């Protein structure tokens, strides 16, 4: 499945919906959405991952980039990751830096 | 503004190129592409070979244009590479003359010695494709982990309590309780950090985690048909890469992140990370071994060669890295700096370190440049440097390893002395030295007690349970007719060879284990315990389990329940050590009172107070540490009295008196019933009779005066 990333910002919450496979060739598209989100006045970055099927290390790097770009005051939520994606996030320890949840947070 | 040097100047096979930067060596991601740099003193030409990940054949071969060579370094930027999806290697052309030491063969694809990730053995134990033309495949790594504010912990050397362990063995056993996918990996180890924290150790020393090939010399056991592996990994393929097969994410090439996440989490829990590094030889083995990297790049530079061109074998493993050649010295230094800076490693333990002090012809050097460089390096300045101060070529340097005020040593004499005392046959005179930080070995050279890494067991040799359960080694499972492994075990089986139902023997074994750890934790210097000793782990008498991927190496976590008394005793002894700075002095005892307490810093006693019996056959010894002298008087502490009775009969020990107002409390007595043989520090009960106590046969008591 082709990769897709869409951004929607409402009430200081930036939501990026991800689908398909996030690897080195598609990570730049995700990264540019993060940069776009960081330009707004946001308090939460929500990554909707239920349709994301795979994440390679380039994808992980964008998560790290997102955390640093958004700053310490912005919480990052990972919503409904699939098992393989969650596994990657856990093994590399990134789950300590984000909030993993099954419900979309609201303001 | 954009840099002007990021545009291609050359083209080859459709790849855009530019002259590269010779430094840093290896493959580095640069704007627009990748900078490849490799050196060889004797090559006549070099070709970069690029593969798509896992592909059987290269996708491109790009010869380095001659004008890209600077000195002996070939460097080149290749633009527009999808660097997450490629693997790279080199072909080197040059002389091929065995006697002169040259092994150039451009039909072979060579791994970059500076490779940061190595593919080819991505998942542990999966049989490799032996027809693959490129077995160990260099890849590129990102150096951008999110460390937050982490950095090496810099725990004072004398405050360390080291746990020597093997990453795979720690959680591979099904009883480990970690997720099946995490078993035997860095991620699995991270799941078990709470256990290490509870035990109380503050440093883990990881047996080799650099990329190695578990299939090196793999073979079926002639008796059982079971596969034997290069399991421990003391044979390096790549010095800059973590072992992919130790990462649950190895199949995705994410081992760098997984290992860094482990280190970061250990640091958060105040646990340092020491790597066991093997610079004495490589996985290329002897003349019959595989050509992986060094041999094809610059054999004569990297290895010690006889005048006839054969490999010197000071390592016992086929070849010897030429560590005091300036080029090899450089790569060792680059490597350690990389691990310190990029992985936040707290210290290194050097396998067969005496080899690192030999000149290119094998003679021991008085002032080895490599050891000196490491000791004075600014990046490594706070890293612990620990030598295994001997080699397989007969050089034994415990007490005389060239230290430059920096190097610690695995104290083999401590191990041997304590083992002999435990089984009742050493002199108390030697014990006094070992318990007080081995001043006979180190004080004269101005080296601190923390120079001495005190250990009774390590990966080589018996576990502590086996030390008290076997008189001799039982290495049949290694397939070498029980000829491998050391014979000088100084062990005693307590009356029966191997497991037994005899409750008396089992009780004695548990007591001996407790005696051992009690002595270890009250010794000046740095204690090191072997993974699993705290729960009575056995290897069934095998003292050289380097080749077993099974229960001979895997930690059986059900022992934690079975031998709960041992775990509790270890935990208490570790906590006691941490609670008492008087056990962790910065400098050696002076055997006098230099703070005006009325007590010398250390005094020796026997069954009579103030009267140690130093005769050769005596098996009782006691000592008193004056708390006012703790850490040279900087951190006042309680008084500590330790009495050791290694005789087979009980003895009454008269206890030295305390200053007015203080009383003796009993922290541990290994002769007491389990449950009452040790107390959580701070809760020690008052000793009933303040003038003496009966210490049972083969027992140790520790009192605290407060």
């Amino acid at each position: 499945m082709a990769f897709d990333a869409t951004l929607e910002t409402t009430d200081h919450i930036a939501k990026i919906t991800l689908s398909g496979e996030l690897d080195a060739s598609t990570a730049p598209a995700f990264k540019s959405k993060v940069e776009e989100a960081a330009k707004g006045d946001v308090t939460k970055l929500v990554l909707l991952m239920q349709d994301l099927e795979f994440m390679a290390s380039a994808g992980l790097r964008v998560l790290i980039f997102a955390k640093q770009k958004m700053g310490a005051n912005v919480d990052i939520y990972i919503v409904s990751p699939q098992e393989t994606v969650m596994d990657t996030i856990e093994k590399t320890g990134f789950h300590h830096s984000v909030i993993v949840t099954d419900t979309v947070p609201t303001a | 503004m954009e840099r002007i040097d990021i545009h291609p100047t050359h083209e080859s096979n459709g790849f855009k190129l530019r002259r590269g930067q010779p430094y840093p060596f290896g493959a580095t991601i640069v704007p627009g592409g990748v900078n490849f740099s490799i050196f060889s003193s004797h090559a006549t030409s070099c070709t970069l070979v690029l593969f798509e990940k896992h592909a059987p054949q290269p996708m491109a071969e790009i010869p380095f244009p001659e004008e890209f060579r600077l000195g002996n370094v070939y460097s080149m930027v290749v633009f527009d590479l999808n660097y997450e999806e490629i693997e790279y290697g080199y072909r080197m052309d040059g002389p091929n003359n065995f006697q002169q030491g040259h092994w150039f063969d451009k039909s072979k694809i060579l791994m970059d010695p500076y490779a940061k990730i190595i593919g080819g053995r991505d998942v542990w134990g999966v049989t490799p494709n032996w027809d693959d033309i490129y077995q160990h495949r260099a890849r590129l790594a990102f150096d951008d982990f999110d460390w937050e504010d982490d950095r090496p912990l810099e725990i004072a050397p004398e405050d360390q309590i080291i746990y020597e362990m093997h990453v795979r063995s720690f959680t591979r056993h099904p009883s480990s309780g970690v997720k099946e996918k995490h078993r035997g990996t860095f991620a699995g180890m991270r799941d078990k950090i709470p256990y290490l924290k509870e035990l109380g150790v503050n440093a883990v020393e990881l047996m080799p985690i650099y990329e190695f090939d578990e299939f090196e010399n793999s073979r079926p056991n002639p008796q059982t048909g079971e596969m034997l592996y290069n399991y421990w990994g003391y044979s390096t393929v790549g010095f800059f890469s973590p072992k992919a097969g130790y990462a649950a994410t190895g199949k995705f090439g994410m081992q760098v992140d997984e290992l860094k996440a482990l280190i970061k989490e250990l640091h958060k829990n105040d646990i340092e990370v020491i790597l066991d590094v093997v610079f004495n030889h490589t996985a290329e083995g002897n003349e019959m071994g595989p050509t992986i990297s060094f041999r094809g790049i610059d054999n004569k530079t990297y290895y010690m060669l006889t005048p006839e061109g054969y490999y010197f074998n000071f390592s016992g493993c086929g070849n010897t890295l030429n560590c005091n050649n300036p080029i090899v010295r450089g790569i060792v230094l680059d490597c350690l700096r990389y691990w310190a800076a990029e992985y936040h490693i707290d210290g290194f333990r050097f396998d067969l370190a005496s080899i690192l002090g030999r000149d290119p012809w094998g003679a021991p050097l008085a002032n080895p440049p490599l050891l000196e460089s490491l000791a004075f390096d600014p990046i490594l300045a706070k890293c612990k440097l620990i030598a295994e101060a001997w080699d397989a070529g007969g050089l034994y340097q415990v007490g005389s390893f060239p230290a430059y005020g920096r190097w610690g040593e695995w104290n083999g004499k401590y191990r041997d002395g304590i083992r002999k005392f435990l089984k009742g046959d050493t002199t108390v005179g030697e014990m006094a030295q070992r318990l007080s930080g081995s001043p006979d070995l180190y004080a004269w050279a101005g080296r601190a007690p923390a120079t001495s890494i005190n250990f009774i067991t390590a990966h080589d040799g018996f576990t502590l349970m086996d030390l008290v359960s076997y008189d001799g080694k039982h290495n049949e499972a290694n397939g070498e007719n029980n000829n491998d492994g050391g014979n000088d075990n100084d062990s005693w089986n307590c009356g029966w060879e191997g497991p037994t139902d005899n409750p008396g023997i089992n009780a004695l074994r548990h007591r001996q284990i407790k005696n051992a750890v009690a002595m270890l934790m009250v010794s000046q210097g740095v204690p090191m315990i072997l993974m699993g000793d705290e729960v009575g782990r056995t290897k069934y008498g095998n003292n050289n389990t380097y080749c077993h991927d099974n229960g001979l190496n895997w930690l059986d976590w059900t022992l934690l329940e079975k031998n709960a008394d041992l775990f509790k005793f270890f935990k208490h002894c570790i906590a006691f050590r941490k609670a008492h700075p008087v056990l962790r002095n910065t400098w050696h005892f002076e055997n006098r009172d230099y703070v005006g307490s009325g007590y010398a810093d250390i005094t020796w006693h026997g069954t009579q107070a103030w009267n140690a019996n130093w005769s050769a056959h005596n098996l009782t010894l006691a000592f008193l540490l004056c708390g006012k002298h703790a850490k040279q008087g900087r951190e006042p502490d309680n008084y500590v009295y330790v009495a050791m009775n290694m005789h087979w009969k009980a003895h009454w020990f008269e206890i030295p008196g305390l200053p007015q107002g203080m009383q003796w409390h009993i922290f541990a007595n290994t002769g007491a019933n389990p449950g009452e043989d040790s107390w959580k520090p701070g809760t020690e009960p008052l000793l009933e009779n303040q003038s003496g106590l009966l210490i049972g046969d083969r027992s140790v008591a520790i009192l605290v005066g407060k």
Side-chain angles (χ1 to χ4, degrees):
Chain A
M1 187 179 151
F3 176 79
D4 192 35
T6 55
L7 168 70
E8 179 196 357
T9 305
T10 43
D11 292 340
H12 306 289
I13 300 178
K15 280 183 201 163
I16 300 177
T17 307
L18 300 165
S19 61
E21 297 190 348
L22 179 54
D23 59 19
S25 63
T26 56
F30 176 28
K31 189 171 173 222
S32 67
K33 293 291 173 195
V34 171
E35 284 172 331
E36 203 181 318
K39 281 183 197 150
D41 175 19
V42 299
T43 55
K44 288 177 183 153
L45 175 64
V46 179
L47 304 172
L48 301 167
M49 290 201 183
Q50 74 184 44
D51 294 322
L52 187 68
E53 286 157 8
F54 174 75
M55 183 166 62
S57 69
L60 191 77
R61 315 229 89 71
V62 180
L63 292 185
I64 298 168
F65 168 80
K67 187 177 164 233
Q68 295 181 345
K69 184 86 183 168
M70 305 303 286
N73 297 327
V74 176
D75 287 331
I76 298 180
Y77 291 80
I78 291 183
V79 181
S80 304
Q82 293 185 13
E83 198 191 335
T84 49
V85 171
M86 189 56 214
D87 209 36
T88 305
I89 292 172
E90 269 185 17
K91 283 171 186 158
T92 48
F94 193 70
H95 60 300
H96 293 299
S97 313
V98 296
I99 299 160
V100 181
T101 170
D102 278 332
T103 50
V104 181
T106 52
Chain B
M1 206 175 87
E2 206 173 50
R3 291 175 66 111
I4 58 157
D5 59 353
I6 58 168
H7 300 289
T9 55
H10 291 59
E11 194 170 325
S12 168
N13 298 331
F15 287 89
K16 292 177 181 147
L17 315 174
R18 182 183 180 94
R19 182 198 305 270
Q21 295 287 343
Y23 206 77
F25 303 123
T28 310
I29 298 164
V30 295
V34 177
N35 186 73
F36 294 93
S37 174
I38 186 166
F39 55 83
S40 167
S41 308
H42 300 96
T44 52
S45 71
C46 181
T47 299
L48 174 68
V49 185
L50 296 172
F51 290 81
E52 285 175 1
K53 241 187 209 176
H54 310 296
Q57 294 297 325
M59 65 173 187
E61 303 213 8
I62 309 170
F64 283 82
E66 175 58 20
E67 63 267 29
F68 285 7
R69 178 181 60 75
L70 180 70
N72 290 332
V73 186
Y74 298 92
S75 55
M76 165 163 79
V77 176
V78 182
F79 289 87
D80 303 325
L81 284 177
N82 184 358
Y83 42 76
E84 224 193 350
E85 297 301 324
I86 61 160
E87 293 166 334
Y88 71 98
Y90 297 99
R91 293 185 197 274
M92 291 265 181
D93 202 4
N96 190 311
N97 181 319
F98 183 85
Q99 197 185 342
Q100 288 175 10
H102 296 309
W103 286 52
F104 288 100
D105 176 354
K106 66 178 177 184
S107 75
K108 297 214 152 68
I109 301 171
L110 306 165
M111 191 196 80
D112 182 1
Y114 282 78
K116 307 296 196 312
I117 297 185
I118 297 170
R121 301 289 184 269
D122 298 8
V123 178
W124 175 278
V126 174
T127 308
N129 169 16
W130 294 111
D131 294 330
D132 190 354
I133 55 170
Y134 189 31
Q135 292 284 325
H136 302 282
R137 296 167 160 239
R139 292 183 190 159
L140 286 117
F142 299 87
D143 290 341
D144 61 352
F145 182 75
D146 182 26
W147 283 104
E148 298 176 283
D149 52 2
D150 181 80
R151 66 165 189 163
L153 298 178
E154 299 183 10
I155 293 174
E158 67 272 17
D159 293 343
Q160 279 194 304
I161 299 167
I162 302 174
Y163 188 76
E164 194 206 20
M165 59 177 291
H166 183 273
V167 170
R168 181 170 170 80
S169 299
F170 191 52
T171 61
R172 177 58 189 83
H173 199 282
S175 64
S176 68
V178 305
K179 275 193 221 167
E180 192 166 350
K181 282 184 284 191
H182 290 194
R183 282 183 199 159
T185 66
F186 298 128
M189 186 177 159
R190 204 182 63 219
D191 294 342
K192 284 290 187 183
I193 289 175
Y195 173 81
L196 296 170
K197 188 87 177 156
E198 189 190 352
L199 180 60
V201 295
N202 59 18
V204 288
E205 182 169 310
L206 305 180
M207 286 166 67
I209 60 153
Y210 292 174
E211 183 64 31
F212 63 86
D213 183 2
E214 65 270 27
F215 287 93
E216 182 185 343
N217 283 326
S218 60
R219 63 207 183 274
N221 180 329
Q223 269 94 49
T224 64
E226 189 182 17
M227 270 302 271
L228 301 176
Y229 298 92
N230 167 33
Y231 180 79
W232 281 352
Y234 284 85
S235 187
T236 310
V237 166
F239 292 101
F240 292 77
S241 312
K243 171 79 183 137
Y246 279 176
T249 55
K251 60 175 181 286
F252 305 126
M254 290 159 78
Q255 54 266 40
V256 171
D257 292 288
E258 190 174 320
L259 174 57
K260 287 177 177 175
L262 167 64
I263 294 166
K264 183 176 161 188
E265 196 64 19
L266 283 164
H267 282 173
K268 271 192 191 156
N269 285 278
D270 303 313
I271 298 172
E272 292 196 330
V273 180
I274 299 170
L275 298 186
D276 188 341
V277 293
V278 188
F279 287 110
N280 54 75
H281 73 284
T282 75
E284 294 187 314
N286 65 13
E287 294 76 13
M288 308 297 287
T291 297
I292 298 171
S293 176
F294 301 104
R295 174 177 287 168
I297 292 169
D298 212 347
N299 188 61
K300 194 171 184 165
T301 296
Y302 285 111
Y303 293 113
M304 290 190 194
L305 301 175
T306 69
E308 299 77 28
Y310 290 92
Y311 293 110
F312 274 120
N313 188 12
F314 297 112
S315 66
C317 298
N319 64 52
T320 309
L321 208 61
N322 194 9
C323 281
N324 282 304
N325 172 293
I327 291 169
V328 186
R329 225 156 64 208
I331 187 169
V332 172
L333 191 58
D334 285 347
C335 169
L336 296 175
R337 285 174 159 182
Y338 176 72
W339 284 93
E342 198 52 51
Y343 284 86
H344 295 198
I345 294 299
D346 302 273
F348 301 94
R349 175 267 186 191
F350 295 75
D351 186 60
L352 301 183
S354 291
I355 286 183
L356 312 185
R358 290 182 184 267
D359 74 11
W361 300 274
L365 291 157
N367 204 13
L370 173 60
L371 302 182
E372 187 183 34
S373 308
L374 298 180
F376 292 100
D377 186 75
I379 294 174
L380 303 176
K382 300 285 192 290
C383 274
K384 279 88 179 175
L385 302 175
I386 301 167
E388 184 187 32
W390 51 84
D391 69 21
L395 194 55
Y396 189 84
Q397 297 180 302
V398 171
S400 61
F401 191 82
Y404 307 99
R406 283 275 280 123
W407 283 79
E409 296 176 2
W410 267 27
N411 189 344
K413 292 185 178 176
Y414 182 93
R415 174 196 60 206
D416 300 344
I418 302 281
R419 285 182 174 200
K420 284 179 179 150
F421 187 56
L422 264 180
K423 70 199 219 27
D425 66 338
T426 195
T427 65
V428 289
E430 162 141 24
M431 275 306 291
Q433 296 289 346
R434 302 301 151 245
L435 290 161
S436 51
S438 294
D440 57 333
L441 301 175
Y442 303 118
W444 62 273
R447 299 169 73 186
T451 301
S452 179
I453 309 299
N454 296 329
F455 67 104
I456 301 169
T457 52
H459 67 274
D460 276 320
F462 282 143
T463 65
L464 196 48
M465 180 57 90
D466 288 353
L467 187 74
V468 297
S469 305
Y470 295 90
D471 279 355
K473 69 185 182 188
H474 296 269
N475 293 4
E476 290 76 9
N478 305 349
E480 297 178 45
N481 297 319
N482 205 27
N483 289 323
D484 61 311
N487 292 316
D488 48 350
N489 298 298
D490 294 314
S491 62
W492 175 49
N493 67 16
C494 296
W496 180 263
E497 189 75 353
T500 172
D501 293 333
N502 183 315
I505 291 177
N506 284 330
L508 176 56
R509 285 176 179 170
H510 277 229
R511 198 157 79 240
Q512 287 282 67
I513 288 172
K514 290 171 189 172
N515 291 339
V517 70
M519 290 187 224
L520 182 62
M521 288 301 155
V522 297
S523 295
Q524 302 293 323
V526 181
M528 181 179 85
I529 59 180
L530 173 64
M531 178 186 88
D533 278 353
E534 73 279 13
V535 291
R537 172 186 175 216
T538 177
K539 297 180 181 179
Y540 306 97
N542 193 321
N543 75 355
N544 189 30
T545 57
Y546 70 99
C547 53
H548 297 284
D549 187 12
N550 56 35
L552 281 173
N553 276 313
W554 301 347
L555 179 57
D556 175 357
W557 289 79
T558 63
L559 293 171
L560 183 55
E561 199 175 328
K562 185 183 169 202
N563 295 321
D565 65 312
L566 295 180
F567 183 74
K568 189 172 121 190
F569 193 86
F570 267 73
K571 200 169 84 170
H572 284 168
C573 285
I574 290 170
F576 187 76
R577 182 175 182 85
K578 286 168 128 176
H580 292 290
V582 77
L583 302 170
R584 298 179 273 114
N585 283 327
T586 318
W587 194 244
H588 294 282
F589 294 117
E590 296 183 23
N591 299 299
R592 66 186 180 92
D593 173 14
Y594 56 84
V595 299
S597 65
Y599 291 77
D601 46 5
I602 186 169
T603 47
W604 296 95
H605 310 267
T607 49
Q608 291 181 306
W610 308 105
N611 189 13
N613 176 355
W614 299 110
S615 67
H617 302 295
N618 176 38
L619 294 170
T620 56
L621 182 65
F623 63 89
L624 170 68
L625 302 177
C626 165
K628 297 212 169 59
H629 287 83
K631 293 229 173 191
Q632 278 56 54
R634 294 190 312 273
E635 288 182 45
D637 189 10
N638 302 133
Y639 285 52
V640 171
Y641 169 79
V642 180
M644 293 159 285
N645 175 22
M646 291 299 112
H647 195 207
W648 48 87
K649 288 179 179 166
H651 285 276
W652 180 263
F653 279 66
E654 187 193 356
I655 316 172
L658 283 167
Q660 191 99 36
M662 288 190 193
Q663 288 185 300
W664 285 117
H665 300 70
I666 186 144
F667 160 66
N669 181 353
T670 64
N673 293 326
E676 294 178 352
D677 58 9
S678 67
W679 304 88
K680 196 175 163 204
T683 68
E684 301 93 348
L686 188 68
L687 187 68
E688 277 177 33
N689 182 341
Q690 288 286 312
S691 61
L693 81 167
L694 186 71
I695 298 186
D697 62 298
R698 300 185 197 274
S699 297
V700 174
I702 301 172
L703 308 182
V704 56
K706 50 187 178 183

